[in-house]
Amino acid sequence: MGAWSHEPFGNDTALDWAAELATVKNLAVIEAAFDAVNEDGEDYLDASAGEEAVAAAQALAGLMSPAILANACPESVQDWARQMAEQPNPALKRKARQALQRVLSESSELRELWEETDDFTAWQDSLRGLQAVIGA
């Protein structure tokens, strides 16, 4: 793996996802990332799907907070957010929170990978911080 960090865009999968996001002018790619995780049910969640959902949550948080956008999102996501007129609705925020909870769950490959590192707590804290920004 090229990039590996507890930050939401700290891996190659998330950066590739961000490039895809930059090609649209709506929230469809974000919603699709959440749906891919949430519609998986209780099955074992693949790490790449989790990484994309985390990146989508970060992009959503960036859309909601200029400080997050400027400090925690790659330039392609910043450019995308500046062009967005559409704002996230409560249903999308709910999907985001559900997806993050699924990524944090025991049946998540991404969680298992992070549990094997010294940065597991930082990773968990990062996701919980996203949940807080997106709202209850």
Side-chain angles (χ1 to χ4, degrees), residues 52-75:
E52 288 181 358
V54 170
Q58 183 72 24
L60 185 66
L63 191 58
M64 297 166 56
S65 167
I68 290 172
L69 184 64
N71 297 316
C73 292
E75 192 170 318

Side-chain angles (χ1 to χ4, degrees), residues 38-88:
N38 294 335
E39 292 172 358
D40 201 23
E42 296 299 315
D43 293 338
Y44 190 68
L45 179 62
D46 181 67
S48 61
E51 289 168 333
E52 288 181 358
V54 170
Q58 183 72 24
L60 185 66
L63 191 58
M64 297 166 56
S65 167
I68 290 172
L69 184 64
N71 297 316
C73 292
E75 192 170 318
S76 63
V77 174
Q78 292 177 34
D79 292 343
W80 168 83
R82 286 186 202 105
Q83 297 174 32
M84 279 294 300
E86 186 179 2
Q87 288 297 307

Side-chain angles (χ1 to χ4, degrees), residues 80-136:
W80 168 83
R82 286 186 202 105
Q83 297 174 32
M84 279 294 300
E86 186 179 2
Q87 288 297 307
N89 60 42
L92 184 61
K93 292 178 188 179
R94 192 169 36 256
K95 285 182 179 189
R97 290 188 307 273
Q98 181 183 359
L100 289 170
Q101 192 57 44
R102 180 86 167 86
V103 171
L104 285 164
S105 76
E106 297 290 330
S107 62
S108 167
E109 180 184 23
L110 190 55
R111 178 192 170 105
E112 284 183 9
L113 292 170
W114 278 106
E115 284 176 332
E116 298 171 2
T117 72
D118 293 335
D119 291 329
F120 177 62
T121 301
W123 176 78
Q124 277 185 310
D125 291 346
S126 175
L127 269 59
R128 289 186 178 131
L130 277 175
Q131 287 176 314
V133 169
I134 292 169

